[in-house]
Amino acid sequence: MFDEIEFDKIKRLPKYIFSAINEIKYDMRVKGIDVIDFSMGNPDGPTPKHIIDKLCESAKKPKNQGYSVSKGIYKLRLACADWYKRRFDIDLDPNLEVCVGMGSKEVFVHLVQAITNFGDNAIVPSPCYPIHHYAFNINGANVLTFPLEYNANYEVDEDAFFTHLEHALKENFPKAKFVVVNFPHNPTTVVAYKSFYERLVALAKKERFYIISDIAYAELCFGDFKTVSIFEVPGAKDVAVETYTLSKTYNMAGWRIGFVVGNKKIIEAVQKIKGWIDYGIYTPLQVAATVALNGDQSCVEEIKQKYEKRMHVMIECFKRAGWELEMPKASMFIWAKIPDKVAHLGSLEFCKLVLQEANIAFSPGIGFGPAGEGYVRIALIENEKRIRHAAKNLKAFLKKF
C-alpha cells in the first residue's frame, strides 16, 4: 500500500447513494425474499425477434468476428442519420455528424472526455441522471447546478430555466462552456417544447457555449406529446450535439448501443478519442442495431403501449393504497412525491424502509441531486400483476404511520 499515492479522480466521486438500496435488495434476494423492483430503468421485455435473428445470422459470419470500427460501422451510422430524418426531418452526414458508442451513457462519458479541459465549467440542472453531472467531475471539470422547475403538467418552466441559466453564466468564472439538457427528463419525466430549444440555441450563440442534449426517452411518449429534437431549430448544429440510445426504444439495454449526433467539431473529437480508446462494438451487434433502426417499427409502439398501460394501473392502484401519483407525458418512469405521512423520513430512508418492510424497491430522489429530495423515481419495469401486488403491500405499509 502506497498511502502517498492518491487517486484524485476517484476521490471526486461521492458515495453512490443507490448502492444502499442495492445492498438491501441483494441481501433480501439471497434470503429468498421476493422484491418487487421499480428501482432501475432496466426494460423487462425481450428484444424484438427480428433484431435477435439478425444478430444470430451476423454472428455466424467469420468476417464479423474481428475488430470493428470505433466510431460505428458505416451502415449503422447511416441508419442513425436515416432515423433522425424520418423522426425529426433532420439531415445528418453519417461520416461527419454521427458517432456510435456503447449506449448513450458511455457515449456521454467519451464525449465529455473529448471536449473538456481541466477546470472547465459545465451547467447541469438538478435533479439529473447522475452521469450527466459526474462525467464532468471524472474528467477534471466542475459542475454548476440550478433547480429544474416545472409546472403541474411536468412541463419545463422556460422562464425560470433561463433566469437561472443566465445567472449561472453571468456569475461564475470561468464562464461555462457546456450546458446539459435532457428532455424527456430522467428522473423527473419533465418535457420541453420547440420554443424552449429556440431560446436555448439563441442564448448559446449569444453567450458562446455548447449544448449537450440527451433524448434517451424520445419514443416513450404518451397521449398527444411528441419529443422534440434540438436540431428542429435552424442553426442548432452550430452549437449542439444530441445523444440517443436503443436501450429503451427496442428493449436493447444489455446490447449497449447508443450514438451522438450534431456539431461536426464535437463529433470529430469524440470519434478521435474513441479511436484511441476502443476498437468498437462487436460488429454483429451493430448489424442488428441497424435492423432495429431501419426495420419494422411496430415493436416500438407495442413497447410504448406496455409502459403506458402499466402507468395507468400503477396510478390507479397506488391511489387506492394511499399514494397519489402524477401522470407523466413521457419516459418509463413516474416521479413521485413521497406521501406526506412519511415525508419526514427523507427519500433514502423511505426507500430503505419500504424495501425492508413492504418488499418494494424505488430509487431515492436524493440520488439524483439535492433537488430530488422528497421524491422517488419509480420505473415501470414490473408487470401489472406485480404492480397490484406492490400496491397491496404499500397500503399495509402506509397504515403503520
Side-chain angles (χ1 to χ4, degrees):
M1 296 285 277
F2 306 116
D3 292 339
E4 74 279 13
I5 299 178
E6 299 284 352
F7 305 145
D8 291 342
K9 187 175 292 186
I10 298 302
K11 288 172 69 176
R12 295 191 80 186
L13 295 175
K15 179 178 173 60
Y16 194 56
I17 290 177
F18 301 116
S19 65
I21 302 300
N22 292 335
E23 289 168 7
I24 297 172
K25 280 195 302 185
Y26 176 79
D27 290 341
M28 292 175 69
R29 284 171 172 156
V30 166
K31 295 173 183 176
I33 300 171
D34 179 29
V35 175
I36 305 173
D37 193 354
F38 302 111
S39 63
M40 187 177 181
N42 187 16
D44 63 313
T47 304
K49 183 178 181 299
H50 67 285
I51 301 172
I52 295 175
D53 288 345
K54 191 62 179 181
L55 170 65
C56 295
E57 174 192 319
S58 182
K60 293 176 182 177
K61 297 179 179 180
K63 69 176 183 178
N64 291 336
Q65 294 162 8
Y67 292 128
S68 191
V69 182
S70 61
K71 65 183 178 181
I73 62 174
Y74 175 75
K75 285 188 176 180
L76 179 53
R77 285 183 280 117
L78 179 60
C80 296
D82 288 343
W83 182 84
Y84 257 86
K85 180 64 175 178
R86 292 194 309 270
R87 181 64 175 80
F88 302 111
D89 195 25
I90 293 163
D91 293 309
L92 292 168
D93 184 325
N95 290 316
L96 302 178
E97 297 176 329
V98 181
C99 185
V100 174
M102 292 176 281
S104 59
K105 183 176 182 180
E106 175 270 355
V107 164
F108 190 90
V109 174
H110 278 167
L111 164 65
V112 172
Q113 188 176 25
I115 64 177
T116 55
N117 303 320
F118 187 84
D120 279 351
N121 279 336
I123 297 174
V124 185
S126 178
C128 69
Y129 182 50
I131 201 62
H132 288 165
H133 185 292
Y134 290 105
F136 291 99
N137 292 149
I138 290 170
N139 289 291
N142 306 305
V143 176
L144 312 171
T145 68
F146 59 78
L148 178 66
E149 298 185 41
Y150 48 92
N151 62 25
N153 295 317
Y154 284 74
E155 299 163 324
V156 66
D157 183 331
E158 292 188 19
D159 290 339
F161 185 97
F162 287 102
T163 296
H164 288 309
L165 178 55
E166 289 175 12
H167 182 268
L169 290 166
K170 180 180 179 181
E171 298 300 323
N172 290 280
F173 183 85
K175 189 175 181 179
K177 293 181 180 179
F178 311 102
V179 174
V180 178
V181 292
N182 166 215
F183 300 109
H185 188 253
N186 182 7
T188 69
T189 79
V190 168
V191 300
Y193 297 94
K194 188 176 180 180
S195 59
F196 171 85
Y197 292 110
E198 289 171 339
R199 293 176 69 174
L200 186 60
V201 168
L203 186 62
K205 291 186 175 185
K206 176 185 175 184
E207 298 292 343
R208 302 184 67 80
F209 62 81
Y210 282 113
I211 303 160
I212 305 173
S213 168
D214 178 2
I215 57 168
Y217 300 92
E219 294 298 77
L220 302 182
C221 302
F222 311 127
D224 296 329
F225 177 75
K226 297 293 182 185
T227 297
V228 176
S229 166
I230 193 169
F231 297 120
E232 293 182 58
V233 177
K237 284 185 188 178
D238 295 337
V239 296
V241 289
E242 194 160 68
T243 60
Y244 188 65
T245 175
L246 278 63
S247 295
K248 312 306 190 293
T249 309
Y250 301 98
N251 284 347
M252 294 174 66
W255 297 55
R256 309 312 303 132
I257 303 286
F259 55 91
V260 58
V261 304
N263 181 269
K264 291 179 181 179
K265 180 179 180 180
I266 294 180
I267 297 300
E268 180 184 18
V270 181
Q271 291 179 345
K272 185 173 183 178
I273 203 164
K274 281 180 60 59
W276 282 96
I277 291 173
D278 68 64
Y279 286 107
I281 302 162
Y282 182 47
T283 298
L285 289 171
Q286 297 192 59
V287 172
T290 302
V291 168
L293 289 169
N294 287 340
D296 183 3
Q297 299 298 298
S298 61
C299 58
V300 178
E301 183 63 25
E302 291 171 5
I303 290 168
K304 184 187 77 169
Q305 288 178 3
K306 178 185 70 176
Y307 287 125
E308 187 167 12
K309 189 173 182 181
R310 289 178 178 181
M311 175 187 68
H312 287 294
V313 169
M314 178 171 283
I315 289 173
E316 178 187 344
C317 292
F318 276 37
K319 181 178 181 179
R320 290 199 299 265
W323 192 0
E324 293 268 4
L325 306 178
E326 299 297 329
M327 187 177 300
K329 280 186 165 57
S331 88
M332 60 186 293
F333 304 114
I334 292 176
W335 184 240
K337 187 174 178 59
I338 298 172
D340 290 341
K341 62 171 63 179
V342 291
H344 64 281
L345 295 172
S347 62
L348 181 56
E349 290 306 312
F350 168 73
C351 286
K352 287 181 180 179
L353 203 59
V354 76
L355 176 55
Q356 292 167 324
E357 297 192 12
N359 301 349
I360 309 170
F362 302 118
S363 290
I366 189 64
F368 301 98
E373 184 53 279
Y375 290 80
V376 298
R377 192 192 69 179
I378 306 173
L380 300 167
I381 56 170
E382 295 274 15
N383 63 43
E384 293 159 44
K385 182 179 178 181
R386 303 269 289 169
I387 291 171
R388 291 188 175 94
H389 186 185
K392 181 179 178 181
N393 292 2
L394 178 68
K395 185 174 184 178
F397 170 79
L398 292 175
K399 281 184 177 180
K400 298 176 184 178
F401 295 89

